Amino acid sequence: MVGVVFLLPLIFVLCLLSGLVSVFLFLVPAYLFVKLEPKNLPDGNMGWPIIGETLGFLKPHKSNTLGDFLQDHCSRYGRIFKSHLFGHPTIVSCDHDLNMFILQNEERLFQCSYPKSIHGVLGNLSLLCVVGDLHKRLRSYALNFTNTCKSKVEYINDVDKLTISLMESWKNKKEVIFCEEVKKFTFNFIVKQIISMDAEEAEATTILEDFHTFMKGVVSLPLYIPGTAYAKAVKARLRIYSTIKAIIRERTEGHGIKKGDYLDALLSNSSSSDEEKVSIVLDLLLGGYETTSTLIALIVYFLSHSPHALQMLKEEHQATRKRKQEEALNWEDYKQMEFTQNVVINEALRCGNVVKFVHRKALKDVNFKGFLIPSGWKVLPIFAAAHLDPSIHENATEFNPWRWNSQVKVKNYAPFSGGLRLCPGAEIGKIETAIFLHHLVLNFRWRIQGVDYPLSKPYVEFLRGLQIELEPLEMN
């Protein structure tokens, strides 16, 4: 014990020296970096050593606003500016022309480049992380899933039945936490389509809980320390991965019965490895559950504050019900939901910003509008910037479906990214949303309890889970 006490001053001195050396090693390169910056860079601020301006950039804010960080930087430096984000010198683009230029030049001038922490949570074979020919090949499997769903006569019927079942469970409830309910709905549907797993199965409940944990860690500080959101997310993904891998092993070894789901189709393709197949299934489960549930929640939120839009939506679906009588919905019905698809859904995506930005890297020096984007620098196209630009959209932060009467606005709209990385499941998400809204507006009126709104964190999450009060409607 005495020896330990004697060593304490020495340990303190060593720690102090180590800290000073660390600061020196970080500050000197940062100083030299500033001095050696290329010419013609956009204006901006590189922020603190190491962390740069990352914390300010990720500060939560209402998803129908750009947030203080981007508003402040755009007013100071313009819509294209430099910063230091996620550990790298970065060009931030709130310029729609540059954003489209980046997306259209994927794999030529720019390449997908997410932080290593994202790789740690999603896995190195995730569609969000892979590049080049591997991305092209894995994305084709996701497109096959979309095309398979759209080609199945029973697909719409499956969505229809699951929605009706959910609405039936609400009949005796006065209020629900909507985000929880709609996530169960989208998850139960996608897990059934891909791996034929029923919602009542214990494994399905476990996977859903793990996905909740998983999402909390996606944009958390990448500290793999027991108890942190990041560590929990990595472990949750490993559990989901193990479950999916066991299901694949069971089917490939001949013990599983063919079920006619997407996994059967995927397993029939011998060109992909087992690891790739597991990763594809994980991507489809995550994308099909998280983004669609967020979109539906945003629409319910915005409609709660827009009674005129809600009334027009209701009239469109009343006309569908009158035409169909007791028959189930089909593809033709979906195609005729023009106000739902082209107005309400589009405006919710524009105003709510499910995907606020993406990560890219310059593969070579790029000159754009007189600015240099140096080779190796990260680039962040901010899609929300064009969606919320008052010079493009009048009263841009307001939910106004009628602005979509002008087709000019569609050109300044990128809710599902674009180019080679356009979301392969975008149409599937819209179909589920439209059918869900059909049954919701015909069976219930609702009111939001307390103060709630969507937050960009940067993925969209509601402050209080969107608790709503329900009132069943009389059938006309």
Side-chain angles (χ1 to χ4, degrees):
M1 184 69 184
V2 175
V4 173
V5 173
F6 175 77
L7 285 174
L8 285 177
L10 178 60
I11 293 172
F12 174 77
V13 172
L14 288 173
C15 289
L16 180 61
L17 287 173
S18 176
L20 290 172
V21 169
S22 298
V23 170
F24 177 80
L25 289 174
F26 284 128
L27 287 180
V28 169
Y31 174 78
L32 291 175
F33 172 76
V34 172
K35 292 296 183 183
L36 297 175
E37 274 187 356
K39 295 180 180 179
N40 301 327
L41 283 174
D43 290 337
N45 180 8
M46 304 307 284
W48 293 92
I50 310 171
I51 63 171
E53 297 187 298
T54 307
L55 297 181
F57 179 81
L58 291 177
K59 184 179 179 181
H61 57 85
K62 289 184 178 181
S63 71
N64 64 331
T65 71
L66 278 182
D68 293 340
F69 178 89
L70 288 176
Q71 288 175 348
D72 174 69
H73 281 59
C74 286
S75 63
R76 284 188 184 187
Y77 309 118
R79 298 186 71 79
I80 302 173
F81 60 88
K82 69 181 179 183
S83 183
H84 197 277
L85 300 170
F86 305 101
H88 296 276
T90 303
I91 301 298
V92 180
S93 171
C94 292
D95 181 275
H96 183 70
D97 293 337
L98 177 53
N99 293 349
M100 293 300 101
F101 179 76
I102 293 167
L103 296 179
Q104 290 160 7
N105 285 280
E106 183 86 28
E107 298 295 347
R108 291 191 293 271
L109 301 177
F110 302 94
Q111 191 174 70
C112 183
S113 182
Y114 280 82
K116 288 184 179 179
S117 58
I118 297 293
H119 288 243
V121 178
L122 296 181
N124 290 325
L125 288 175
S126 170
L127 272 175
L128 201 65
C129 301
V130 294
V131 298
D133 290 339
L134 180 58
H135 171 263
K136 185 177 181 180
R137 184 161 59 82
L138 295 184
R139 186 174 184 273
S140 69
Y141 298 132
L143 284 171
N144 285 342
F145 170 69
T146 298
N147 294 332
T148 300
C149 288
K150 292 169 69 175
S151 65
K152 288 168 59 177
V153 176
E154 62 269 24
Y155 173 73
I156 291 275
N157 192 38
D158 288 345
V159 184
D160 198 41
K161 287 192 293 186
L162 186 60
T163 309
I164 292 171
S165 174
L166 177 66
M167 301 293 166
E168 285 294 326
S169 73
W170 289 356
K171 290 295 185 181
N172 297 318
K173 294 181 179 179
K174 292 185 177 180
E175 55 187 51
V176 296
I177 300 176
F178 188 78
C179 288
E180 290 183 4
E181 294 289 307
V182 76
K183 282 184 177 182
K184 289 177 187 175
F185 163 75
T186 56
F187 177 79
N188 290 342
F189 179 76
I190 198 71
V191 81
K192 181 72 172 178
Q193 296 296 312
I194 295 175
I195 56 177
S196 296
M197 187 177 286
D198 291 320
E200 296 78 20
E201 294 183 44
E203 277 187 327
T205 303
T206 301
I207 294 175
L208 180 57
E209 290 173 354
D210 280 334
F211 266 127
H212 288 161
T213 304
F214 177 83
M215 282 306 301
K216 290 178 181 177
V218 168
V219 291
S220 62
L221 288 174
L223 300 174
Y224 194 80
I225 300 172
T228 62
Y230 183 77
K232 289 179 179 179
V234 172
K235 290 178 179 178
R237 182 191 176 277
L238 288 173
R239 287 193 296 269
I240 301 169
Y241 184 93
S242 297
T243 300
I244 303 303
K245 195 167 185 177
I247 293 171
I248 288 177
R249 188 185 305 115
E250 183 180 1
R251 291 204 196 179
T252 53
E253 290 177 354
H255 303 302
I257 301 171
K258 295 287 185 182
K259 299 187 177 181
D261 54 22
Y262 178 71
L263 183 57
D264 279 348
L266 184 62
L267 293 178
S268 67
N269 189 311
S270 59
S271 64
S272 58
S273 68
D274 286 348
E275 302 300 311
E276 289 172 350
K277 288 168 183 170
V278 175
S279 188
I280 291 162
V281 170
L282 277 170
D283 279 342
L284 291 173
L285 288 175
L286 179 61
Y289 130 83
E290 179 64 29
T291 53
T292 305
S293 63
T294 300
L295 172 58
I296 295 173
L298 284 168
I299 293 174
V300 167
Y301 169 80
F302 288 129
L303 289 175
S304 300
H305 297 86
S306 182
H308 185 26
L310 176 57
Q311 182 58 34
M312 286 196 66
L313 184 70
K314 187 175 179 179
E315 288 173 4
E316 177 173 83
H317 289 285
Q318 284 174 331
T320 301
R321 184 174 65 184
K322 187 176 293 186
R323 186 175 65 251
K324 296 293 296 182
Q325 297 298 328
E326 298 299 320
E327 296 178 29
L329 294 174
N330 57 35
W331 282 105
E332 194 58 38
D333 300 320
Y334 168 69
K335 291 175 184 177
Q336 292 186 35
M337 297 175 183
E338 293 186 3
F339 185 73
T340 305
Q341 292 183 61
N342 301 326
V343 179
V344 171
I345 291 177
N346 281 350
E347 178 65 356
L349 287 167
R350 181 203 68 82
C351 204
N353 296 292
V354 177
V355 179
K356 180 181 176 182
F357 65 94
V358 292
H359 293 257
R360 296 292 183 267
K361 177 178 69 176
L363 296 175
K364 57 182 72 175
D365 286 353
V366 177
N367 288 286
F368 190 89
K369 292 186 177 181
F371 293 126
L372 171 67
I373 303 175
S375 175
W377 276 45
K378 296 300 180 75
V379 187
L380 295 186
I382 311 293
F383 301 135
H387 297 168
L388 301 173
D389 185 349
S391 69
I392 299 173
H393 307 284
E394 186 179 357
N395 299 321
T397 61
E398 295 180 7
F399 178 78
N400 175 16
W402 292 275
R403 72 174 80 245
W404 286 88
N405 292 333
S406 170
Q407 294 301 308
V408 177
K409 302 296 188 293
V410 177
K411 296 179 181 179
N412 301 291
Y413 177 67
F416 298 110
S417 188
L420 297 177
R421 288 182 174 267
L422 179 67
C423 176
E427 184 65 21
I428 294 298
K430 286 187 173 184
I431 293 167
E432 290 177 49
T433 301
I435 294 174
F436 186 95
L437 291 174
H438 172 81
H439 292 288
L440 179 66
V441 300
L442 292 180
N443 287 282
F444 292 97
R445 64 169 58 95
W446 68 89
R447 185 167 60 90
I448 297 174
Q449 293 280 62
V451 177
D452 207 349
Y453 47 83
L455 282 172
S456 175
K457 305 182 70 172
Y459 67 90
V460 177
E461 185 177 274
F462 278 81
L463 184 67
R464 300 177 63 244
L466 198 60
Q467 186 170 339
I468 61 172
E469 182 180 309
L470 293 168
E471 181 183 343
L473 294 174
E474 294 285 337
M475 296 292 287
N476 294 327

